[in-house]
């Protein structure tokens, strides 16, 4: 293998020492010379991306095999056949329409909430911001942010009940609703 531009000498030395052993292992794992070649190349590319940090790796062989092992696992996951959902889990078209209808009701309901409620719900529940990050951004304690979010969720729940006639089952999940017209 020719040395690519920018590959540190320590990487090339380690690669020359372990390439054949790594290839044999990848061939055994994948069962295909083409797959083994692809996985070997991807392992090498990941090592190159380390640049000078690769030289600081204490056990280059272990690092290369660890990267290769993860690539084999990822490849296996991608090739796993997808199975259809069982009848119990698959959504019926009516359920899909109901979810779409509820999703259409949500923006209208959110607009009726106070700006502070919309803001914390949007950041924490819709965009996935951590409550601690929200607290830091707005100068709140974590306890205050959690309390504010809890109150906003309760007001959203009440507004959904009013506007969309949402009802919840005993476990707190939406069981039924009627989307109100705009």
């Amino acid at each position: 293998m020719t040395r690519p531009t920018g590959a540190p000498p320590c990487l090339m030395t380690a690669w020359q020492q372990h390439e054949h052993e790594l290839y044999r292992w990848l061939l055994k794992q994948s069962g295909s010379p083409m797959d083994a070649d692809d996985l070997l190349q991807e392992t090498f590319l990941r090592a190159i991306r380390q640049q000078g940090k690769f030289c600081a790796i204490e056990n280059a062989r272990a690092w290369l095999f660890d990267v290769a092992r993860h690539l084999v696992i990822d490849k296996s996951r991608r090739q796993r056949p997808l199975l259809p959902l069982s009848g119990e889990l698959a959504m019926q078209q009516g359920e899909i329409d109901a979810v779409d209808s509820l999703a259409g009701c949500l923006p209208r309901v959110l607009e009726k909430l106070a700006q502070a409620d919309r803001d914390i719900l949007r950041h924490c529940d819709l965009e996935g911001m951590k409550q601690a990050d929200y607290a830091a951004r707005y100068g709140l304690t974590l306890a205050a942010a959690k309390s504010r979010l809890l109150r906003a969720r309760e007001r959203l729940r009440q507004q959904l009940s009013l506007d969309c006639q949402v009802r919840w089952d005993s476990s707190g999940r939406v069981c039924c609703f009627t989307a109100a017209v705009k």
Side-chain angles (χ1 to χ4, degrees), residues 31-43:
S32 160
M34 285 181 18
D35 287 345
D37 285 337
D38 289 346
L39 293 166
L40 186 69
Q41 182 177 4
E42 183 60 32
T43 302

Side-chain angles (χ1 to χ4, degrees), residues 124-138:
C124 294
D125 287 347
L126 300 176
E127 295 173 2
M129 179 184 279
K130 293 181 180 174
Q131 294 173 16
D133 295 339
Y134 184 87
R137 177 185 278 183
Y138 291 96

Side-chain angles (χ1 to χ4, degrees), residues 39-60:
L39 293 166
L40 186 69
Q41 182 177 4
E42 183 60 32
T43 302
F44 185 68
L45 289 173
R46 292 198 181 181
I48 287 176
R49 287 186 200 121
Q50 294 296 309
Q51 291 294 323
K53 291 185 278 184
F54 187 87
C55 296
I57 295 172
E58 196 169 310
N59 187 340

